[in-house]
Amino acid sequence: MLPSNLFSLPIQTEVFAAGEVLRRRNEVLTSVLHLESGRVLRGFYEEGYLRHQLGAVEGPFWLDAASALLGLPLPVDMVAETRVQLRRVPIAEFRQSLAAMPEGARGLLLDMASGYRQQSELAVSRLAHDAETRCAQWLLNHAQQDASGTMRVTLHQRKRLIAAQLGIAPETFSRVLRHLREMGLIHGTGNVLNLPQPLALQTMAGS
């Protein structure tokens, strides 16, 4: 998106091995990374590996320029798929270089950055929706009817083990359960969850 010759890149490069985490989602940027060579994966890094991949880029490429341009935290994690070489530009210097650009070119870059950011947020949103779908399916598959006719689920395993079965992080599972509570689709505390609106859950599960 950004020609590297518009910026004064540092002479020193940083080298990272395959599998190393380069950026964390929701990280507030203090520098901008220019990928000189190698391949980087974008997605959700959880429990020691990239559980959900949302794309890949190869150098030369600005890894986080869109977020830096918009002053926003990163929406995804970034992990080196191969050995990579990076150059790190302090964000203050990065913005000074942008300020020196013609207004029209700067406006175009901001529009492109906004579009790229929207695509990333849409992918993250779809991933979160997928987690809700899987949780709803799991709840329905494990639901039983009690004497009063209420559907309920008893959690016989720890939440982290259930999350592993669903292929999501424990914090994602907890977040989805909290969202379902807010929507009134589950009630109860402890290891027993009531399902007052099973038809709504079925709709969420795609049944």
Side-chain angles (χ1 to χ4, degrees):
M1 182 175 71
L2 289 173
S4 60
N5 58 9
L6 292 177
F7 301 86
S8 178
L9 293 175
I11 297 175
Q12 183 179 5
T13 61
E14 300 177 33
V15 178
F16 295 85
E20 289 196 63
V21 179
L22 307 177
R23 288 297 200 201
R24 290 282 190 179
R25 64 183 183 275
N26 299 322
E27 179 180 347
V28 177
L29 297 176
T30 58
S31 62
V32 187
L33 299 180
H34 185 263
L35 176 64
E36 297 285 307
S37 63
R39 182 177 171 89
V40 173
L41 302 177
R42 303 168 70 251
F44 279 12
Y45 186 85
E46 296 167 342
E47 299 179 350
Y49 67 100
L50 198 70
R51 187 179 294 277
H52 302 290
Q53 183 178 330
L54 297 176
V57 295
E58 294 184 2
F61 190 85
W62 289 96
L63 289 178
D64 40 21
S67 294
L69 282 166
L70 300 172
L72 296 172
L74 291 171
V76 296
D77 299 309
M78 298 182 183
V79 182
E81 184 181 26
T82 65
R83 179 182 180 274
V84 300
Q85 282 188 301
L86 304 171
R87 295 186 195 271
R88 187 183 303 270
V89 180
I91 198 162
E93 294 181 16
F94 180 79
R95 289 175 175 163
Q96 285 174 3
S97 297
L98 289 171
M101 295 175 61
E103 184 178 351
R106 189 167 63 250
L108 176 61
L109 285 175
L110 287 171
D111 287 343
M112 294 173 63
S114 180
Y116 183 78
R117 175 78 184 199
Q118 288 174 10
Q119 288 182 338
S120 296
E121 290 177 346
L122 178 60
V124 171
S125 175
R126 286 175 174 170
L127 188 60
H129 177 72
D130 183 53
E132 289 185 353
T133 299
R134 279 179 278 170
C135 288
Q137 291 170 343
W138 187 91
L139 289 169
L140 291 169
N141 290 338
H142 291 79
Q144 294 183 334
Q145 198 172 55
D146 64 14
S148 66
T150 300
M151 301 295 292
R152 62 177 51 188
V153 175
T154 302
L155 306 180
H156 296 290
Q157 296 175 305
R158 293 183 181 274
K159 289 181 180 179
R160 63 179 179 81
L161 296 178
I162 297 172
Q165 294 174 23
L166 295 172
I168 59 179
E171 59 267 29
T172 301
F173 184 56
S174 296
R175 185 175 67 248
V176 171
L177 289 182
R178 183 168 59 252
H179 182 55
L180 295 179
R181 289 182 195 278
E182 293 170 352
M183 296 175 65
L185 300 184
I186 62 173
H187 290 158
T189 57
N191 65 339
V192 178
L193 302 176
N194 295 323
L195 312 181
Q197 300 185 57
L199 292 180
L201 269 182
Q202 288 175 9
T203 299
M204 181 177 287
S207 302

